[in-house]
Amino acid sequence: FFLSELRELSLNNNRITEVPETIGRMKKLKKLTLNDNHLETLSPSLGRLSLSTLIISPNPLKPSFLSMS
């Protein structure tokens, strides 16, 4: 069981340094908040999700991530 039915996940203020690749398995996830952590990059597996909301600031994201479009 991998929380496959989860629709919202809030991981604010947890000193998280990376988002695991396995988050891409959470196919029903629609809202992900990662405020006030220590993220410098985001997992490419986030691109496999159909998120309606992704909140990631403030985090020390590196410019290479910020320039991706």
Side-chain angles (χ1 to χ4, degrees), residues 2-9 26-30:
F2 185 77
L3 305 173
S4 60
E5 299 298 315
L6 193 65
R7 295 183 187 272
E8 292 188 18
L9 180 59
M26 301 174 81
K27 299 298 183 187
K28 294 188 178 182
L29 191 64
K30 296 297 177 194

Side-chain angles (χ1 to χ4, degrees), residues 36-64:
D36 295 308
N37 283 294
H38 298 279
L39 296 170
E40 293 184 357
T41 62
L42 292 178
S43 171
S45 66
L46 287 174
R48 293 193 296 265
L49 301 175
S50 297
L51 294 174
S52 60
T53 305
L54 174 62
I55 303 171
I56 56 173
S57 64
N59 275 289
L61 293 171
K62 292 185 178 187
S64 61

Side-chain angles (χ1 to χ4, degrees), residues 8-46:
E8 292 188 18
L9 180 59
S10 177
L11 297 171
N12 302 330
N13 300 304
N14 283 294
R15 298 182 183 171
I16 296 171
T17 58
E18 64 183 44
V19 177
E21 284 291 318
T22 53
I23 199 157
R25 294 184 202 162
M26 301 174 81
K27 299 298 183 187
K28 294 188 178 182
L29 191 64
K30 296 297 177 194
K31 181 177 182 180
L32 177 60
T33 57
L34 296 163
N35 293 347
D36 295 308
N37 283 294
H38 298 279
L39 296 170
E40 293 184 357
T41 62
L42 292 178
S43 171
S45 66
L46 287 174

